[in-house]
Amino acid sequence: MTVTLGLPATRVRTRVSVPLRFPDGYATTADVFTFTGLADGREHLALGLGPWRAALTADEAPLVRPHSECLTGDVFGSERCDCGPQLREAVERIAEQGGFLLYLRQEGRGIGLYAKLDAYALQDTGLDTYQANLALGHAEDERDYTPAAQMLTTLGAEKIRLLSNNPDKAAQLGGLGIEVTRRIPTGVHLTGANARYLTAKRDHTAHTLDLPLAG
């Protein structure tokens, strides 16, 4: 399928099967899609997991998680965020039900890796994650889910169940023509190092997080 959303046409560039294995031993296989014509020109990926083809035509919409790249959490296992555990959880849940994980190259809520680490340094002085971004001259959250909507529409997933704690993802995708039939929260991956971070997300941007130990 080709989609424009008022932008240059988006098409599937490549689809390749990739076996995945996580450090805890969980393994599955993903159909990994690359695209041409994405709005920001970045190399975003869509991973088709489990019975994703059947999910496109099933009564219940495919399960989808837009996951923003986090080198420190996804690769190095940083406990300052919950990104790595959310990624691991999402892959298994989507593989069980059929759907897509969208791996979006939007490090640090869109501000980039170095700026994210600068924000960490400011958080060590007492700022929360949003205040730190503002202090660096960035918006609180600079992510744009237009490429996510383009990928989903190109793949035929214009109706989805959204695996996310973040209401902004649902709002942006809905405004871009993706029907979110249901928003399903991820688990809460609380550590001693990320309690302030998760609390800020809950209190400041209404993330769906039950944090009885975080105050």
Side-chain angles (χ1 to χ4, degrees), residues 47-63:
L47 280 65
L49 294 161
W52 62 265
R53 296 176 187 83
L56 291 172
T57 57
D59 291 338
E60 193 166 45
L63 186 62

Side-chain angles (χ1 to χ4, degrees), residues 68-91:
S68 297
E69 177 181 48
C70 178
L71 178 71
T72 51
D74 297 342
V75 177
F76 297 120
S78 167
E79 293 191 344
R80 290 191 68 138
C81 64
D82 56 347
C83 302
Q86 281 189 323
L87 177 64
R88 165 65 181 84
E89 174 194 355
V91 168

Side-chain angles (χ1 to χ4, degrees), residues 50-136:
W52 62 265
R53 296 176 187 83
L56 291 172
T57 57
D59 291 338
E60 193 166 45
L63 186 62
V64 171
R65 173 164 178 78
H67 184 90
S68 297
E69 177 181 48
C70 178
L71 178 71
T72 51
D74 297 342
V75 177
F76 297 120
S78 167
E79 293 191 344
R80 290 191 68 138
C81 64
D82 56 347
C83 302
Q86 281 189 323
L87 177 64
R88 165 65 181 84
E89 174 194 355
V91 168
E92 183 170 4
R93 291 179 68 176
I94 297 169
E96 289 172 350
Q97 301 180 44
F100 300 96
L101 184 133
L102 308 180
Y103 198 78
L104 305 174
R105 311 302 296 275
Q106 301 188 120
E107 183 84 43
R109 292 202 301 276
I111 68 175
L113 177 60
Y114 277 18
K116 181 180 80 171
L117 294 171
D118 292 341
Y120 280 177
L122 290 175
Q123 289 170 44
D124 289 341
T125 71
L127 300 185
D128 70 27
T129 180
Y130 301 103
Q131 294 166 340
N133 279 17
L134 293 173
L136 291 170

Side-chain angles (χ1 to χ4, degrees), residues 78-82 85 188-196 198 211 214:
S78 167
E79 293 191 344
R80 290 191 68 138
C81 64
D82 56 347
V188 177
H189 303 284
L190 179 66
T191 71
N194 70 19
R196 286 184 65 242
L198 295 181
L211 298 171

Side-chain angles (χ1 to χ4, degrees), residues 198-213:
L198 295 181
T199 301
K201 292 206 297 183
R202 180 195 65 187
D203 295 346
H204 191 71
T205 50
H207 279 58
T208 308
L209 292 166
D210 182 10
L211 298 171
L213 302 181

